[in-house]
Amino acid sequence: MSENSPNPESLAWGGLDRHTLSSTAISVVIHGVMLLLLALVAFPKHRIKPDFVVMETVVVDNPIAKSDDNFEVQPPKLIENSVNNLANLQPTTNVIAEQPNMLNIDVNQNELQARIEAEAFLGQDHREGDFAGRSEEARTILVNAFGGNASTEAAVANGLKWLAEHQQEDGSWHFDHRGDKCDGSCNSPGNLNRATVAATSLALMSFLGAGNTHLKGKYKPQVERGLNYLMSVFAKAETPGDMREIPSGNSAFYTQGLATITLCEAYGMSGDRRLLKPAQACIDFIIDSQHPEAGGWRYRLGEVGDTSVVGWQVMALASARLSRISVPVKPRKLAERFLDSVQLDQGAYYGYTGPEKKPSTTAVGLLSRLYLGWTPDRPEVKKGVAYLSSVGPSRDDMYYNYYATQVLHHHGGPEWVQWNKVMREQLLETQDRSDGHAAGSWAPRDRHGAAPGGRHYMTCLSVLTLEVYYRHLPIYQRASIAGKEY
Ligand SMILES: [Zn+2]
């Protein structure tokens, strides 16, 4: 990786506003894409007042015909059987903090000090909004207060190093990570070869989560080149903001959600206005693609929706708002309607395409609810959290772990303390600590066989999960505001 930090002015984003309509009819083919069950997030932070002019809503003239291919709809790898309850695993390190009742447990002086510092930090009005926790100083405070430690931060650092080592020459990342620079000793590549936008977005989210942007941070050059890659895809889209890459594939709206989150966060963190229109266009594309009655999104335009795909779009809408990009109320209300249609017990539990009680879809449903304005102290949230706590972190389903960890973090309390102890130790134990090229990455632990996302996907989700302490500020801080806005 070059150590030179390219001049921001060299970014190849000039003329973006023109969304050149060079048509790239990326056509289909996707064999057996099972789809990434990715993850991502963003929450509305208090005191955020959108202050940018909203672009005109883009009317999507649905360019994608209903696909005639017969993909099997693959529900997220749920779960029951793949989840190990690790509740009894004894953590080897101590830590931690409890939220929101920070001072109600017996703590030693260091822990108490960490919480006092965190309270002081969280009580401030941060110019950077929800992303304030990502600065170096804030990270230290929040890691100490919320249950991370030097080991989790080292794991994040090593994971980012591996990702930087596997960036392609054109700035992208691939689920088959073996490319320009890998010496071939890292096994378990993914097989979603054409989903480069999704792979690139996940990597960028991992770097952004630790405070890197194209303007600052250790990995500034990598972030810049990655954003350049996304911008090159953006510039080729026939419909402005369409980042699906393979519109007819099952990965289409996962990709759209991930790319949108990435652009919104990059804009929100850097304030670089060259990113505003692209981010807004991606958000508008998501809004225009929502099912007008059911409120969901799925693989192709016009489908009613499933919880997994909906979760990524809700996170994208939340990322936009956290980045001060305007999002109308209507799509958020519609998304709530979709969640209503798959919930059980007034919203404590969620299914995939209908009401059910499943761990991973419950995690996605609850996190979506929190971003859409529910407060962590609602009885339904508490019930759902109790359920996730009883299931515990999974040994092999990082998609579930990624969502559930965030839900538990925002909820706080003893449930979070226990969850974090198990999740944290599991991630530290399973990271590659060899001297080889795979050092710092995580191998897939997919009991179902070949993992579509492979080592790259596992590494990104693991890093993002370990960034939970500071990637987004705790949602209870925003409770009163959310109530006002919704
Ligand atoms: Zn390698």
Side-chain angles (χ1 to χ4, degrees), residues 312-334:
W312 288 109
Q313 316 314 309
V314 169
M315 300 312 146
L317 297 179
S319 294
R321 300 186 69 217
L322 294 176
S323 302
R324 299 169 168 81
I325 293 171
S326 184
V327 176
V329 171
K330 190 177 171 191
R332 292 181 271 144
K333 288 288 179 198
L334 271 175

mmCIF file of all heavy atoms in Angstrom, residues 312-334:
data_model
loop_
_atom_site.group_PDB
_atom_site.id
_atom_site.type_symbol
_atom_site.label_atom_id
_atom_site.label_comp_id
_atom_site.label_asym_id
_atom_site.label_seq_id
_atom_site.Cartn_x
_atom_site.Cartn_y
_atom_site.Cartn_z
ATOM 1 N N TRP A 312 -31.142 -3.675 5.782
ATOM 2 C CA TRP A 312 -30.057 -2.884 5.188
ATOM 3 C C TRP A 312 -30.564 -1.544 4.667
ATOM 4 O O TRP A 312 -29.850 -0.543 4.736
ATOM 5 C CB TRP A 312 -29.387 -3.663 4.048
ATOM 6 C CG TRP A 312 -28.563 -4.788 4.576
ATOM 7 C CD1 TRP A 312 -28.833 -6.127 4.485
ATOM 8 C CD2 TRP A 312 -27.346 -4.679 5.321
ATOM 9 N NE1 TRP A 312 -27.854 -6.843 5.122
ATOM 10 C CE2 TRP A 312 -26.940 -5.988 5.638
ATOM 11 C CE3 TRP A 312 -26.575 -3.603 5.753
ATOM 12 C CZ2 TRP A 312 -25.779 -6.253 6.368
ATOM 13 C CZ3 TRP A 312 -25.421 -3.863 6.481
ATOM 14 C CH2 TRP A 312 -25.038 -5.174 6.779
ATOM 15 N N GLN A 313 -31.776 -1.530 4.128
ATOM 16 C CA GLN A 313 -32.282 -0.247 3.613
ATOM 17 C C GLN A 313 -32.618 0.690 4.773
ATOM 18 O O GLN A 313 -32.381 1.900 4.693
ATOM 19 C CB GLN A 313 -33.524 -0.439 2.720
ATOM 20 C CG GLN A 313 -33.449 -1.575 1.715
ATOM 21 C CD GLN A 313 -32.146 -1.647 0.943
ATOM 22 O OE1 GLN A 313 -31.681 -0.662 0.376
ATOM 23 N NE2 GLN A 313 -31.529 -2.827 0.911
ATOM 24 N N VAL A 314 -33.147 0.145 5.855
ATOM 25 C CA VAL A 314 -33.445 0.982 7.019
ATOM 26 C C VAL A 314 -32.147 1.561 7.584
ATOM 27 O O VAL A 314 -32.075 2.736 7.965
ATOM 28 C CB VAL A 314 -34.189 0.169 8.109
ATOM 29 C CG1 VAL A 314 -34.258 0.950 9.419
ATOM 30 C CG2 VAL A 314 -35.598 -0.167 7.634
ATOM 31 N N MET A 315 -31.098 0.748 7.590
ATOM 32 C CA MET A 315 -29.810 1.241 8.074
ATOM 33 C C MET A 315 -29.286 2.351 7.150
ATOM 34 O O MET A 315 -28.661 3.305 7.592
ATOM 35 C CB MET A 315 -28.770 0.119 8.139
ATOM 36 C CG MET A 315 -29.133 -1.028 9.059
ATOM 37 S SD MET A 315 -29.691 -0.482 10.694
ATOM 38 C CE MET A 315 -30.887 -1.748 11.053
ATOM 39 N N ALA A 316 -29.546 2.194 5.867
ATOM 40 C CA ALA A 316 -29.102 3.222 4.918
ATOM 41 C C ALA A 316 -29.859 4.532 5.177
ATOM 42 O O ALA A 316 -29.268 5.615 5.197
ATOM 43 C CB ALA A 316 -29.317 2.750 3.482
ATOM 44 N N LEU A 317 -31.161 4.427 5.385
ATOM 45 C CA LEU A 317 -31.946 5.636 5.679
ATOM 46 C C LEU A 317 -31.443 6.293 6.970
ATOM 47 O O LEU A 317 -31.339 7.519 7.074
ATOM 48 C CB LEU A 317 -33.435 5.293 5.822
ATOM 49 C CG LEU A 317 -34.142 4.719 4.581
ATOM 50 C CD1 LEU A 317 -35.608 4.412 4.906
ATOM 51 C CD2 LEU A 317 -34.057 5.672 3.398
ATOM 52 N N ALA A 318 -31.113 5.459 7.942
ATOM 53 C CA ALA A 318 -30.606 5.990 9.212
ATOM 54 C C ALA A 318 -29.239 6.639 9.008
ATOM 55 O O ALA A 318 -28.964 7.714 9.551
ATOM 56 C CB ALA A 318 -30.516 4.877 10.252
ATOM 57 N N SER A 319 -28.380 6.007 8.206
ATOM 58 C CA SER A 319 -27.051 6.583 7.937
ATOM 59 C C SER A 319 -27.193 7.963 7.317
ATOM 60 O O SER A 319 -26.436 8.881 7.621
ATOM 61 C CB SER A 319 -26.253 5.715 6.955
ATOM 62 O OG SER A 319 -25.957 4.489 7.525
ATOM 63 N N ALA A 320 -28.154 8.078 6.428
ATOM 64 C CA ALA A 320 -28.373 9.366 5.776
ATOM 65 C C ALA A 320 -28.749 10.416 6.816
ATOM 66 O O ALA A 320 -28.192 11.514 6.850
ATOM 67 C CB ALA A 320 -29.478 9.247 4.730
ATOM 68 N N ARG A 321 -29.673 10.088 7.655
ATOM 69 C CA ARG A 321 -30.115 11.070 8.649
ATOM 70 C C ARG A 321 -28.995 11.428 9.609
ATOM 71 O O ARG A 321 -28.827 12.573 9.991
ATOM 72 C CB ARG A 321 -31.314 10.514 9.418
ATOM 73 C CG ARG A 321 -32.500 10.211 8.510
ATOM 74 C CD ARG A 321 -33.708 9.795 9.292
ATOM 75 N NE ARG A 321 -34.246 10.897 10.053
ATOM 76 C CZ ARG A 321 -34.768 10.779 11.273
ATOM 77 N NH1 ARG A 321 -34.800 9.614 11.859
ATOM 78 N NH2 ARG A 321 -35.231 11.833 11.906
ATOM 79 N N LEU A 322 -28.205 10.432 9.983
ATOM 80 C CA LEU A 322 -27.074 10.711 10.870
ATOM 81 C C LEU A 322 -26.046 11.591 10.183
ATOM 82 O O LEU A 322 -25.269 12.282 10.820
ATOM 83 C CB LEU A 322 -26.408 9.397 11.294
ATOM 84 C CG LEU A 322 -27.262 8.486 12.157
ATOM 85 C CD1 LEU A 322 -26.552 7.179 12.424
ATOM 86 C CD2 LEU A 322 -27.624 9.176 13.456
ATOM 87 N N SER A 323 -26.061 11.546 8.867
ATOM 88 C CA SER A 323 -25.118 12.362 8.094
ATOM 89 C C SER A 323 -25.746 13.676 7.657
ATOM 90 O O SER A 323 -25.193 14.387 6.830
ATOM 91 C CB SER A 323 -24.656 11.573 6.863
ATOM 92 O OG SER A 323 -24.060 10.367 7.256
ATOM 93 N N ARG A 324 -26.895 13.956 8.205
ATOM 94 C CA ARG A 324 -27.601 15.214 7.921
ATOM 95 C C ARG A 324 -28.080 15.287 6.478
ATOM 96 O O ARG A 324 -28.094 16.352 5.868
ATOM 97 C CB ARG A 324 -26.725 16.417 8.261
ATOM 98 C CG ARG A 324 -26.331 16.477 9.745
ATOM 99 C CD ARG A 324 -25.254 17.531 9.979
ATOM 100 N NE ARG A 324 -25.047 17.810 11.399
ATOM 101 C CZ ARG A 324 -24.304 17.063 12.203
ATOM 102 N NH1 ARG A 324 -23.716 15.979 11.737
ATOM 103 N NH2 ARG A 324 -24.145 17.390 13.471
ATOM 104 N N ILE A 325 -28.400 14.153 5.948
ATOM 105 C CA ILE A 325 -29.002 14.102 4.616
ATOM 106 C C ILE A 325 -30.492 13.868 4.834
ATOM 107 O O ILE A 325 -30.886 12.982 5.591
ATOM 108 C CB ILE A 325 -28.404 12.950 3.783
ATOM 109 C CG1 ILE A 325 -26.932 13.244 3.488
ATOM 110 C CG2 ILE A 325 -29.184 12.748 2.488
ATOM 111 C CD1 ILE A 325 -26.187 12.085 2.871
ATOM 112 N N SER A 326 -31.275 14.651 4.175
ATOM 113 C CA SER A 326 -32.700 14.616 4.440
ATOM 114 C C SER A 326 -33.376 13.331 3.959
ATOM 115 O O SER A 326 -33.127 12.858 2.857
ATOM 116 C CB SER A 326 -33.348 15.829 3.771
ATOM 117 O OG SER A 326 -34.699 15.860 4.090
ATOM 118 N N VAL A 327 -34.210 12.784 4.800
ATOM 119 C CA VAL A 327 -35.004 11.605 4.438
ATOM 120 C C VAL A 327 -36.441 11.894 4.853
ATOM 121 O O VAL A 327 -36.696 12.202 6.016
ATOM 122 C CB VAL A 327 -34.515 10.345 5.186
ATOM 123 C CG1 VAL A 327 -35.396 9.156 4.880
ATOM 124 C CG2 VAL A 327 -33.064 10.042 4.842
ATOM 125 N N PRO A 328 -37.368 11.808 3.934
ATOM 126 C CA PRO A 328 -38.766 12.090 4.298
ATOM 127 C C PRO A 328 -39.304 11.095 5.335
ATOM 128 O O PRO A 328 -38.744 10.011 5.516
ATOM 129 C CB PRO A 328 -39.522 11.916 2.972
ATOM 130 C CG PRO A 328 -38.483 11.864 1.918
ATOM 131 C CD PRO A 328 -37.204 11.439 2.546
ATOM 132 N N VAL A 329 -40.386 11.467 5.954
ATOM 133 C CA VAL A 329 -40.983 10.602 6.971
ATOM 134 C C VAL A 329 -41.642 9.377 6.332
ATOM 135 O O VAL A 329 -41.596 8.275 6.864
ATOM 136 C CB VAL A 329 -42.036 11.389 7.780
ATOM 137 C CG1 VAL A 329 -42.820 10.452 8.690
ATOM 138 C CG2 VAL A 329 -41.359 12.488 8.587
ATOM 139 N N LYS A 330 -42.217 9.568 5.150
ATOM 140 C CA LYS A 330 -43.032 8.501 4.560
ATOM 141 C C LYS A 330 -42.315 7.144 4.424
ATOM 142 O O LYS A 330 -42.861 6.119 4.832
ATOM 143 C CB LYS A 330 -43.573 8.953 3.203
ATOM 144 C CG LYS A 330 -44.603 7.999 2.646
ATOM 145 C CD LYS A 330 -45.172 8.502 1.325
ATOM 146 C CE LYS A 330 -46.024 7.430 0.685
ATOM 147 N NZ LYS A 330 -46.386 7.764 -0.689
ATOM 148 N N PRO A 331 -41.122 7.099 3.834
ATOM 149 C CA PRO A 331 -40.483 5.789 3.709
ATOM 150 C C PRO A 331 -40.186 5.145 5.053
ATOM 151 O O PRO A 331 -40.199 3.911 5.182
ATOM 152 C CB PRO A 331 -39.177 6.084 2.950
ATOM 153 C CG PRO A 331 -38.981 7.553 3.012
ATOM 154 C CD PRO A 331 -40.345 8.154 3.150
ATOM 155 N N ARG A 332 -39.966 5.946 6.052
ATOM 156 C CA ARG A 332 -39.707 5.381 7.373
ATOM 157 C C ARG A 332 -40.987 4.797 7.958
ATOM 158 O O ARG A 332 -40.993 3.738 8.575
ATOM 159 C CB ARG A 332 -39.114 6.453 8.286
ATOM 160 C CG ARG A 332 -37.712 6.862 7.847
ATOM 161 C CD ARG A 332 -37.123 7.900 8.765
ATOM 162 N NE ARG A 332 -37.452 9.254 8.362
ATOM 163 C CZ ARG A 332 -37.703 10.252 9.213
ATOM 164 N NH1 ARG A 332 -37.701 10.020 10.503
ATOM 165 N NH2 ARG A 332 -37.985 11.454 8.766
ATOM 166 N N LYS A 333 -42.079 5.504 7.732
ATOM 167 C CA LYS A 333 -43.367 4.982 8.207
ATOM 168 C C LYS A 333 -43.721 3.688 7.479
ATOM 169 O O LYS A 333 -44.246 2.740 8.060
ATOM 170 C CB LYS A 333 -44.476 6.026 7.963
ATOM 171 C CG LYS A 333 -44.387 7.211 8.898
ATOM 172 C CD LYS A 333 -44.791 6.796 10.308
ATOM 173 C CE LYS A 333 -44.688 7.954 11.291
ATOM 174 N NZ LYS A 333 -44.646 7.463 12.691
ATOM 175 N N LEU A 334 -43.440 3.688 6.173
ATOM 176 C CA LEU A 334 -43.723 2.480 5.391
ATOM 177 C C LEU A 334 -42.874 1.308 5.867
ATOM 178 O O LEU A 334 -43.335 0.165 5.929
ATOM 179 C CB LEU A 334 -43.442 2.742 3.899
ATOM 180 C CG LEU A 334 -44.584 3.296 3.053
ATOM 181 C CD1 LEU A 334 -44.078 3.611 1.647
ATOM 182 C CD2 LEU A 334 -45.745 2.296 2.991
#
